[in-house]
Amino acid sequence: MSRIAATFDRLRAEGRTALIPYITAGDPHPDCTVAMMHALVEAGADLIELGVPFSDPMADGPVIQKATERALAHGTSLAQVLEMVETFRQKDQDTPIVLMGYDNPVEAMGYAPFALRAREAGVDGVLTVDMPPEEAVDGYLEALAAEGLDRIFLVAPTTPESRLQAVEAEGSGFVYYVSLKGVTGADALDVQDVAEHVAVLKRRMNRPVGIGFGIRDGERAYEMARLGDAVIVGSALVREMESMVGAPCEQVTARLKEALAPFRAGVDRADREQSS
Amino acid sequence: MTIDYSQFPDTRGHFGPYGGIFAPETLMAALEELKQQYHTLKRDPQFWAELDADLRDYVGRPSPLYFAERLTEAWGGAKIYLKREDLNHTGAHKVNNTIGQALLARRLGKTRIIAETGAGQHGVASATVAARLGLECVVYMGADDVARQAPNVARMKMLGAEVVPVTSGTRTLKDALNEAMRDWVTHVDDTFYIIGTVAGPHPYPEMVRDFQAVIGREARQQILEKTGRLPDALVACVGGGSNAIGLFYEFLPDEEVALYGVEAAGHGLETGQHAAPLCAGRPGVLHGNRTYLMQDDNGQILGTHSISAGLDYPGVGPEHAWLKDIGRANYVAVTDEEALDACRDLTRLEGILPALESSHALAYAKKLAPELGAERMMIVNLSGRGDKDMKTLAAVEGFEY
């Protein structure tokens, strides 16, 4: 069983919702990324989503765009991101890691060489924003599956039910529900709308549902934890890094833990209410 | 084996290994709807009749095919015919496509259109059709391009469009495309994205090609009427590649007609300061399709340079990538300097001021003419006029503007 499936199984048995923080690898500095990953686990992360910087992040809002530019200014490459995961794994063999990014850096490395190196480094799943199931059949899925990596796909508010079958058939690990029409970090979360869509997903798909995009504070994390199996927090954490450029890694990790705390509290509150 | 070019792209939007739909999930349903609607309309004679009437009465088509006698004499070789897309309403080929997509937007019931633009020609053409159809229009334009294409920015504003300068990334066309995609993801319910070139996710490369193919259909008929035979070569500049595919498409089955797509070599291919993905790039995925890209070893997209804002783009339409691989078209590149020389030649010899984009096609024609010799003839696509480039040209020539 994959580390991702095992984690969701354990959390479900404990009646808990997963908290999945996202950070952009290499931001604010590549030397801090591994320490930041450990800090996230200490602050209550159940899985980690690690962003692979790409020069043209067309699905991301300004916060993650700027983080990407900071990371690329330090030359952060996909190969280096895999090295960061490998270093992280020396101390942490339990926390699943999902790489999130765009296709071109993966394609430049080659799907099969990438999958092999990702598995060896200790990556558990891959989410490629501009790789829908329709295109993934040309080598991408096969390469990831051959190395036992989970293939995570997005489902959006605009996704018709007719597409869910392909997402279920080609994907694995969990389903990432994009909670709004917009880019990452947008301010347009509609709880009722998410509730309706997630209910359909849970009925139609036999897979944990993570909810992300636009979860800006602990209150929204609480609301989303009542609906999904996982809550994904990205821009709200990454924004905290804007003032951390040039700061020592201890300060960066301290700020990151502080930033994640209200989200952990929000998720825990939802779990307590649902268990009682 | 003869290729039936009308069978491309395939049902998944692929030209060989290129093209496709590499889009965020939020857009997949909108792209599917667009594909179905377009394919329905593509078989609807009434739609094409409506479009043809607009192209005739509003755009001013057919555009003339002009024999440039003095230019031919000066360049000493093959006869040069110019396809005068610069004479279209709004001053370039771009309007052929925006008229078509705007009709589609109206059929889909969209009330707002967005567009990206480099040189501003596509932005102007989009703002123009939006004004005519009473649609809201937002144009994304790299902040650097806003500065160097001021006349077109002013025109777009006069037409009632909102021009949004894009300051992320390299502040040019590729970043304008990213920003337009972000807008579309956010406003997908009421917004139609008019892509200006034969790139982007399926069905855009097919749709934009079909709308621009009028250039080649007319040119083929015009050259037969004037000379009684097909040309030996076609020459067109390639940024995203819409004017080139528009000229080439009708001639693809005519294997005896050589096709030349001319990319921007900027300061020279050897300097890395250029915008020539077909000549000096390799395949990858950007902006919804697989194609040749300018990228580094890690798959990051590289900044580009061209004196012409409309060619300053690190990718190219997927059909061109495929035509290159199968050897049906040749892709070459000329430098900023060569383009400027050709621009001067046409202006002084024929009294036609070409856009800096189109000047790249002319510059290659200048090299090709003596190679082909006086018995041969070629059609050069004069894709746009140069009024918008006066600021750049004045700075180069050293006079006040």
Side-chain angles (χ1 to χ4, degrees):
Chain A
M1 184 188 285
S2 81
R3 209 162 359 213
I4 292 174
T7 299
F8 275 106
D9 281 358
R10 175 175 58 78
L11 292 173
R12 184 187 306 248
E14 294 167 5
R16 290 178 52 216
T17 305
L19 176 62
I20 310 181
Y22 165 102
I23 54 171
T24 301
D27 170 53
H29 195 284
D31 291 348
C32 299
T33 301
V34 174
M36 289 165 70
M37 292 165 75
H38 289 303
L40 290 172
V41 176
E42 286 164 31
D46 298 300
L47 289 84
I48 292 174
E49 214 174 80
L50 193 58
V52 180
F54 178 52
S55 53
D56 292 82
M58 69 174 175
D60 283 301
V63 170
I64 292 178
Q65 286 174 47
K66 283 185 213 143
T68 296
E69 288 182 13
R70 291 193 293 271
L72 289 175
H74 292 112
T76 309
S77 65
L78 177 56
Q80 286 170 0
V81 174
L82 294 176
E83 284 168 25
M84 292 169 186
V85 175
E86 196 169 12
T87 308
F88 172 81
R89 277 279 171 256
Q90 290 167 6
K91 285 190 191 159
D92 186 326
Q93 285 88 44
D94 301 323
T95 310
I97 306 287
V98 172
L99 295 187
M100 182 170 182
Y102 294 80
D103 180 54
N104 203 51
V106 175
E107 188 156 320
M109 188 178 278
Y111 293 146
F114 161 73
L116 175 66
R117 288 165 71 176
R119 195 258 300 154
E120 286 176 350
V123 170
D124 301 287
V126 182
L127 196 176
T128 303
V129 177
D130 53 351
M131 177 63 82
E134 287 86 341
E135 297 293 343
V137 295
D138 294 335
Y140 172 88
L141 287 173
E142 199 184 343
L144 296 187
E147 299 297 338
L149 296 167
D150 278 321
R151 290 80 64 196
I152 294 149
F153 287 106
L154 300 169
V155 169
T158 52
T159 304
E161 284 196 49
S162 57
R163 281 177 59 78
L164 295 181
Q165 203 182 347
V167 172
E168 173 147 50
E170 312 297 358
S172 64
F174 65 95
V175 175
Y176 188 132
Y177 181 68
V178 177
S179 62
L180 48 81
K181 290 171 199 159
V183 293
T184 53
D187 188 13
L189 197 62
D190 176 342
V191 177
Q192 190 52 40
D193 188 67
V194 176
E196 286 164 19
H197 281 96
V198 169
V200 172
L201 286 185
K202 290 190 138 179
R203 199 166 62 237
R204 293 287 304 267
M205 301 177 90
N206 182 27
R207 195 161 298 155
V209 177
I211 305 173
F213 278 46
I215 300 175
R216 296 188 146 199
D217 50 35
E219 187 58 27
R220 283 180 237 204
Y222 161 79
E223 286 166 342
M224 294 300 115
R226 291 158 58 95
L227 304 173
D229 303 297
V231 172
I232 303 153
V233 182
S235 297
L237 302 177
V238 173
R239 185 179 289 112
E240 294 299 316
M241 298 298 107
E242 287 173 2
S243 57
M244 289 283 112
V245 175
C249 291
E250 304 83 74
Q251 271 181 39
V252 174
T253 54
R255 172 68 69 88
L256 191 61
K257 285 161 96 165
E258 218 175 285
L260 188 61
F263 294 94
R264 181 73 259 176
V267 170
D268 287 345
R269 178 155 65 93
D271 288 346
R272 275 197 306 276
E273 283 181 14
Q274 286 186 325
S275 68
S276 65
Chain B
M1 195 184 73
T2 21
I3 295 171
D4 179 359
Y5 292 96
S6 71
Q7 296 302 306
F8 292 87
D10 66 19
T11 52
R12 292 173 56 211
H14 290 184
F15 300 89
Y18 303 108
I21 312 180
F22 293 88
E25 179 60 32
T26 309
L27 296 180
M28 292 303 284
L31 288 165
E32 179 63 29
E33 185 192 14
L34 180 60
K35 183 179 82 179
Q36 287 185 4
Q37 286 282 347
Y38 176 62
H39 285 164
T40 303
L41 285 180
K42 196 171 172 171
R43 293 188 300 270
D44 178 357
Q46 214 183 329
F47 174 74
W48 292 101
E50 193 180 346
L51 184 61
D52 282 348
D54 275 356
L55 291 177
R56 185 183 64 235
D57 299 336
Y58 188 70
V59 176
R61 301 203 74 90
S63 67
L65 185 72
Y66 168 71
F67 173 48
E69 198 171 353
R70 298 232 304 150
L71 193 71
T72 298
E73 200 176 306
W75 286 355
K79 290 192 179 63
I80 296 165
Y81 286 85
L82 302 176
K83 182 60 176 162
R84 298 291 308 275
E85 293 298 303
D86 60 317
L87 294 177
N88 292 340
H89 178 44
T90 72
H93 71 291
K94 291 293 187 187
V95 73
N96 302 331
N97 166 50
T98 58
I99 292 249
Q101 289 199 47
L103 287 179
L104 198 51
R106 202 173 53 181
R107 295 251 183 149
L108 288 167
K110 306 290 184 183
T111 56
R112 176 175 181 270
I113 63 174
I114 56 171
E116 85 294 339
T117 197
Q121 290 301 129
H122 175 60
V124 167
S126 298
T128 298
V129 296
R132 181 166 173 249
L133 297 179
L135 302 170
E136 184 189 347
C137 180
V138 177
V139 179
Y140 291 93
M141 190 169 186
D144 287 1
D145 294 337
V146 168
R148 63 177 162 169
Q149 305 282 308
N152 275 343
V153 175
R155 287 168 78 193
M156 287 184 265
K157 288 182 178 165
M158 192 66 202
L159 287 159
E162 182 190 349
V163 180
V164 181
V166 177
T167 54
S168 58
T170 60
R171 303 158 64 95
T172 57
L173 180 53
K174 84 172 173 75
D175 310 288
L177 243 147
N178 289 333
E179 210 53 41
M181 285 280 187
R182 290 173 190 132
D183 180 310
W184 198 25
V185 168
T186 308
H187 302 103
V188 63
D189 293 334
D190 69 345
T191 296
F192 189 99
Y193 180 14
I194 300 188
I195 293 186
T197 193
V198 284
H202 181 61
Y204 282 99
E206 173 190 355
M207 186 167 68
V208 177
R209 175 199 70 194
D210 292 347
F211 290 141
Q212 292 293 359
V214 65
I215 302 173
R217 274 199 306 276
E218 287 175 6
R220 197 171 184 280
Q221 194 184 340
Q222 288 166 323
I223 196 85
L224 287 173
E225 279 166 12
K226 281 181 197 292
T227 70
R229 68 177 184 90
L230 291 174
D232 299 288
L234 305 179
V235 185
C237 65
V238 176
S242 70
N243 91 80
I245 211 79
L247 178 63
F248 294 173
Y249 189 62
E250 187 74 8
F251 291 90
L252 287 177
D254 303 315
E255 300 278 346
E256 68 274 27
V257 181
L259 310 177
Y260 294 92
V262 186
E263 295 193 306
H267 296 314
L269 291 183
E270 69 287 354
T271 65
Q273 303 285 302
H274 58 80
L278 288 167
C279 292
R282 59 194 166 80
V285 168
L286 178 69
H287 294 149
N289 65 120
R290 180 176 285 118
T291 187
Y292 279 81
L293 299 173
M294 290 181 54
Q295 55 178 318
D296 68 14
D297 291 342
N298 297 315
Q300 306 297 343
I301 307 305
L302 293 168
T304 49
H305 165 78
S306 171
I307 192 166
S308 130
L311 302 184
D312 212 348
Y313 180 65
V316 63
E319 192 162 9
H320 286 294
W322 177 63
L323 292 175
K324 172 190 160 77
D325 280 11
I326 64 172
R328 178 62 189 98
N330 308 287
Y331 294 92
V332 295
V334 303
T335 63
D336 290 351
E337 281 304 319
E338 291 169 320
L340 284 166
D341 277 344
C343 176
R344 285 184 199 104
D345 285 353
L346 187 70
T347 308
R348 299 293 173 88
L349 292 168
E350 298 284 355
I352 299 170
L353 175 65
L356 284 173
E357 290 76 17
S358 321
S359 300
H360 285 71
L362 290 163
Y364 188 73
K366 187 175 182 177
K367 296 183 187 181
L368 188 61
E371 285 175 28
L372 288 178
E375 299 307 308
R376 307 289 186 84
M377 60 176 180
M378 67 172 108
I379 298 175
V380 179
N381 203 6
L382 200 62
S383 54
R385 68 184 189 216
D387 309 43
K388 68 183 177 60
D389 296 312
M390 281 317 302
K391 192 175 164 193
T392 305
L393 289 169
V396 171
E397 303 293 292
F399 57 80
E400 279 198 29
Y401 176 67

